[in-house]
Amino acid sequence: MKIKQQEAERHVLTITVDNEAGILAKIAGLFTARGYNIDSLTVADITENHAVSRITIVTHGPPAVIDQIHAQLERLVPVHKVIDLTEMGAHVERELALVKVAGVGEARVEALRLADVFRAKVVDTTTSSFIFELTGTPDKIDRFVSLMRELGLVEVGRTGVVGMMRGAEAA
């Protein structure tokens, strides 16, 4: 008898929670205790009175694991809503990155040219380095970082993915 391995799928989950101490630790602990990986995690206060936060988690796993994660998140007391943007359909994902590149001469010129192609903004410059600010999909940022490696990549800082459903209605 052969055991059929299921393909791991990438999923973007948004979780609306009460903005209280320890909720992020509870959610991260849920993933850790079950051996699930978090590829990206962002948290932001989303209400005027600071009572509710939105957590965006990018994870991957077979459909059964994703369903289990979804169900376990919904059982946590301060969780209001869990939405799997990947399952819901058309959505927008963005990430912000700061990318430091050192170089002089031709490498410096090429770094500026590529930054222009990727619509990266120069936010700091010295005679031997740049810091670029880039927003876009994770794939776009990965491609930019990969190209900068060849030109003198020094350091990368990334915010993690935030996502939202397309259309006029709230998810």
Side-chain angles (χ1 to χ4, degrees):
M1 176 161 133
K2 289 186 177 180
I3 297 174
K4 185 177 167 186
Q5 291 281 37
Q6 290 184 311
E7 278 293 311
E9 300 172 347
R10 180 181 177 274
H11 285 260
V12 180
L13 308 173
T14 62
I15 308 150
T16 308
V17 299
D18 287 338
N19 192 5
E20 62 182 45
I23 183 59
L24 185 58
K26 282 182 186 179
I27 290 172
L30 183 148
F31 277 77
T32 303
R34 288 152 185 87
Y36 305 147
N37 192 40
I38 295 174
D39 298 328
S40 171
L41 175 94
T42 59
V43 183
D45 175 14
I46 59 169
T47 56
E48 195 172 320
N49 65 358
H50 310 291
V52 178
S53 289
R54 179 183 174 124
I55 299 171
T56 305
I57 295 177
V58 178
T59 190
H60 61 277
V65 169
I66 299 301
D67 291 344
Q68 186 178 27
I69 290 170
H70 194 280
Q72 290 169 347
L73 285 169
E74 284 184 330
R75 275 184 270 201
L76 291 176
V77 172
V79 171
H80 297 276
K81 183 169 39 172
V82 179
I83 297 172
D84 185 343
L85 295 178
T86 308
E87 294 286 321
M88 295 290 290
H91 64 280
V92 176
E93 292 179 29
R94 290 294 181 268
E95 185 175 6
L96 169 79
L98 294 176
V99 180
K100 186 186 290 185
V101 179
V104 294
E106 214 36 55
R108 187 173 173 85
V109 172
E110 183 64 8
L112 279 172
R113 188 190 70 72
L114 285 171
D116 187 50
V117 168
F118 278 83
R119 296 186 182 134
K121 179 177 164 187
V122 176
V123 293
D124 184 67
T125 186
T126 68
T127 57
S128 60
S129 69
F130 293 108
I131 297 178
F132 298 107
E133 175 186 289
L134 178 65
T135 59
T137 64
D139 287 342
K140 175 184 176 181
I141 292 172
D142 290 343
R143 286 191 311 273
F144 183 75
V145 168
S146 177
L147 290 168
M148 289 300 139
R149 270 196 178 84
E150 300 171 22
L151 298 173
L153 181 70
V154 175
E155 186 176 1
V156 178
R158 296 174 76 155
T159 60
V161 173
V162 292
M164 195 171 283
M165 292 301 303
R166 296 190 67 186
E169 294 84 35

